[in-house]
Each structure stands twice: as structure tokens, then as C-alpha cells.
């Protein structure tokens, strides 16, 4: 068996979609477990009402965390609230199974997966990580494995440049991991968003486990959304994106029933859809800032 963990913060409109996609597409998992790091309580209450079978675990962050984000008091957030990587580590450390799925609230499954069959393939090939898809890059694909009943897998060579490592040996979520590998890598994160330290730890693990393999599914099994980022750090505010306002607007549209969690599925919410809801709730300056961010940062990396 296997549990599915969803890392979540302040985007219940995406979290609802993510949970629905898991229930529709994945076969024979044990539990869906949301690791929530400070979503506003009224919004998380609605998630619990919509999905009563889902287990929700809290980092201990209360509504005050989002209030401080709105005030851009990032040092206060770091001082008052637990480390998100530490919270994720502690929860997944307690998991009883050898493998685990970790996804984030802004991603959703788009293909049916028979998990027992996939697990059997990964155990037989000593695979430490199977990405469900990431970007269009095909760095170091050295072999393919067409399982009799499971998805076709593309295996990577282990080592390369750090750019290649970030796309081959490691990804922060959106994958099925051997739990010991995920724990080893995440334990090296110095702070939220510290992906470089984790990539270095992935290389270390691969060097110490030369028989371990790393792969991705040949077909895309998830989509990731880019309606709004969600970090309690200043990076997006430096780009003039007031992310808390975008989150409040889209969460409000979802809470009122105006924004359906399955809108445009299996793809992301369209730009026109997002702008419609932002214009109903925000200033023109906020809408223009979102449009600029989406047309530059998002288009550059994912367009």
C-alpha cells in the first residue's frame, strides 16, 4: 500500500482540484493526507466538509500566518511558525510504507494509475524515484521499460551537471518516492525553497546507492497550475506580485462557488478565467501585475 501526501498552503481552490483528481485517477492507495501549513481555517473547514475521508494534518500554523503574509512580515513568520520542510519530514518519517507519493496542492493527476502494479515495477528495478512528469526536458534518458500492465517508464543516468540533476535525480514533489530517499534529501533543506541543498543530497544518495535507479513516466500523469504561487517568503513580492491578494480573490471565488475546481480540467485554469475573477475583486494594478508575472516568469519556465 501507499499513502498520498499533499503539501498545502493557502490555495484551497487548487487543493480541492488536486484531491478530486487523486480520487478519480489513482487506484488502491491507502490514505490521502494533506500537510497544511497555514491555510485560513474557514477555507480548510470547507475542504474537510467536501472530502471527509481525507486526513488533514496541520503544522501548527494558524490564521495569523496568512495575516502576517498580508503584512509582508516574513521575519515574523519565520520566528513564530514551524519550518515547513521540518513539518513535512516529521510527518512522512512516521509513514509505515516503503514508498510514498508527495504532490503539492497546485498539481493534479490526469491519467489513471494502478498503484500496486507501478509499485511492483519500482521495487523490481530498485527505483528510488518515479516522476509523474516534469517539464519537457529529456536529460540523460538511457533506457525505457515497458511494463506488462503498468505505465511505460523512462530511466535516467544517475549523474550529470547540477541543471541535469535538478531534472533527473530530484524533484521536490510530483513523484512517487522510496521513502528513505525522500527523507534523506528533504532533511538537507536549510529553509523553504532550498532546492539546491536537496539536489546535492540527491547526488550524495545516488553515489552511496549505485544500484538505485531514477525514472519518469513516459506519458504525462500530472499537470501543475500557475494561477498563483504560494510561499511565505518575499521572493514574489520583490517582483511586485501581491500574491496574498491573488490567493484571497481566487479562494473567495472558489468559496462562493463561482470558480469550479474542475474548470478547464485536465488543464490549468485559463488566463481569461483567472483575470475574470481577479477583476471582480482587485484593482487594475493588481490584475496588471499578475498578467505581467504570468507573461514573463510563468511563460519563460513553463510556456
Amino acid at each position: 500500500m501507499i499513502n498520498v501526501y499533499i503539501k498545502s498552503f493557502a490555495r484551497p481552490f487548487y487543493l480541492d482540484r488536486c484531491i478530486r483528481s487523486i480520487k478519480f485517477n489513482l487506484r488502491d492507495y491507502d490514505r490521502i493526507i494533506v500537510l497544511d501549513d497555514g491555510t485560513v481555517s474557514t477555507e480548510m473547514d470547507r475542504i474537510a466538509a467536501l472530502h471527509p475521508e481525507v486526513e488533514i494534518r496541520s503544522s501548527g500554523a494558524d490564521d495569523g500566518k496568512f495575516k502576517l503574509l498580508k503584512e509582508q512580515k516574513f521575519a515574523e513568520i519565520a520566528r513564530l511558525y514551524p519550518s515547513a520542510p521540518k513539518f513535512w519530514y516529521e510527518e512522512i518519517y512516521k509513514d509505515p510504507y516503503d514508498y510514498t507519493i508527495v504532490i503539492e496542492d497546485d498539481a493534479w493527476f490526469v491519467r489513471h494509475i494502478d498503484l500496486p502494479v507501478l509499485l511492483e515495477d519500482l521495487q523490481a528495478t530498485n527505483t528510488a524515484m518515479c516522476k509523474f512528469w516534469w517539464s519537457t526536458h529529456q536529460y540523460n534518458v538511457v533506457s525505457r521499460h515497458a511494463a506488462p500492465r503498468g505505465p511505460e517508464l523512462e530511466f535516467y543516468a544517475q549523474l550529470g551537471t547540477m541543471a541535469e540533476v535538478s531534472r533527473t535525480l530530484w524533484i521536490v514533489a510530483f513523484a512517487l518516492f522510496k521513502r528513505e530517499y525522500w527523507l534523506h534529501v528533504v532533511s538537507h533543506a536549510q529553509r523553504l525553497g532550498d532546492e539546491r541543498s536537496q539536489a546535492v543530497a540527491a547526488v550524495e544518495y545516488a553515489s552511496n546507492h549505485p544500484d538505485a535507479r531514477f525514472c519518469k513516466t513516459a506519458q504525462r500523469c500530472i499537470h501543475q497550475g500557475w494561477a498563483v504561487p504560494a510561499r511565505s517568503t518575499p521572493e514574489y513580492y520583490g517582483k511586485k506580485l501581491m500574491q496574498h491578494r491573488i490567493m484571497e480573490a481566487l479562494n473567495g471565488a472558489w468559496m462562493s462557488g463561482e470558480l469550479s475546481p474542475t474548470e478547464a480540467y485536465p488543464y490549468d485554469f485559463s488566463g481569461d478565467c483567472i483575470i475574470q475573477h481577479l477583476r471582480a475583486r482587485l484593482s487594475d494594478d493588481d490584475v496588471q501585475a499578475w498578467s505581467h508575472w504570468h507573461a514573463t516568469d510563468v511563460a519563460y519556465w513553463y510556456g
Side-chain angles (χ1 to χ4, degrees):
M1 294 294 287
I2 190 169
N3 288 320
V4 183
Y5 289 88
I6 308 169
K7 299 189 298 182
S8 180
F9 173 62
R11 293 181 295 190
F13 71 96
Y14 265 148
L15 177 59
D16 187 9
R17 166 181 284 225
C18 177
I19 293 170
R20 290 171 190 264
S21 79
I22 293 168
K23 293 194 287 190
F24 181 71
N25 285 295
L26 299 191
R27 179 177 173 270
D28 286 346
Y29 56 84
D30 186 359
R31 288 177 292 168
I32 300 172
I33 301 168
V34 174
L35 301 179
D36 185 63
D37 193 34
T39 301
V40 173
S41 56
T42 53
E43 296 167 350
M44 192 52 72
D45 287 346
R46 182 162 188 240
I47 289 289
L50 289 169
H51 306 285
E53 75 282 17
V54 170
E55 182 175 345
I56 299 171
R57 300 179 188 173
S58 171
S59 67
D62 56 19
D63 289 1
K65 181 174 182 176
F66 193 76
K67 181 176 183 294
L68 289 174
L69 179 66
K70 292 168 65 173
E71 297 168 357
Q72 299 181 52
K73 294 182 178 178
F74 305 109
E76 284 292 282
I77 291 173
R79 184 177 68 84
L80 293 173
Y81 292 102
S83 157
K86 183 173 183 290
F87 165 55
W88 303 329
Y89 179 94
E90 289 174 347
E91 293 302 323
I92 293 179
Y93 180 83
K94 297 184 291 189
D95 191 274
Y97 302 120
D98 292 335
Y99 283 82
T100 185
I101 290 173
V102 182
I103 192 169
E104 296 184 354
D105 55 10
D106 64 345
W108 52 91
F109 284 88
V110 297
R111 191 174 299 277
H112 293 286
I113 301 174
D114 188 323
L115 288 176
V117 171
L118 178 57
L119 276 172
E120 185 178 327
D121 285 345
L122 299 184
Q123 290 166 337
T125 53
N126 193 30
T127 297
M129 178 189 67
C130 175
K131 299 180 186 179
F132 291 120
W133 178 84
W134 187 248
S135 189
T136 57
H137 299 287
Q138 297 296 322
Y139 290 107
N140 289 350
V141 172
V142 294
S143 66
R144 296 176 186 269
H145 171 66
R149 294 179 296 146
E152 182 180 8
L153 304 177
E154 297 179 341
F155 286 88
Y156 296 113
Q158 283 193 352
L159 300 178
T161 66
M162 283 304 296
E164 292 171 341
V165 166
S166 69
R167 296 174 175 87
T168 55
L169 301 190
W170 179 242
I171 194 170
V172 295
F174 320 114
L176 192 158
F177 300 92
K178 183 175 283 190
R179 192 170 60 92
E180 67 169 21
Y181 172 64
W182 189 93
L183 291 170
H184 171 81
V185 176
V186 172
S187 69
H188 286 69
Q190 302 298 309
R191 63 189 180 282
L192 183 65
D194 178 16
E195 296 181 10
R196 180 173 178 80
S197 295
Q198 295 175 76
V200 171
V203 175
E204 176 188 83
Y205 181 95
S207 298
N208 292 331
H209 299 78
D211 295 333
R213 304 187 72 187
F214 303 83
C215 73
K216 65 182 284 292
T217 55
Q219 293 181 304
R220 179 178 185 149
C221 293
I222 64 164
H223 275 285
Q224 185 181 14
W226 282 92
V228 60
R231 281 190 178 167
S232 52
T233 55
E235 62 191 279
Y236 291 105
Y237 290 87
K239 300 175 183 180
K240 303 189 183 304
L241 183 73
M242 300 293 102
Q243 66 180 39
H244 66 271
R245 295 178 190 163
I246 309 300
M247 286 188 269
E248 284 187 316
L250 297 179
N251 292 341
W254 169 77
M255 286 284 283
S256 69
E258 299 167 63
L259 178 60
S260 167
T262 57
E263 173 72 27
Y265 178 89
Y267 304 107
D268 196 6
F269 302 107
S270 71
D272 288 344
C273 172
I274 298 299
I275 287 174
Q276 170 191 337
H277 293 295
L278 298 186
R279 281 181 174 157
R281 292 169 169 81
L282 299 178
S283 70
D284 288 344
D285 287 346
D286 283 325
V287 175
Q288 289 173 10
W290 181 87
S291 297
H292 177 74
W293 168 75
H294 210 262
T296 52
D297 278 26
V298 175
Y300 176 77
W301 289 108
Y302 303 99

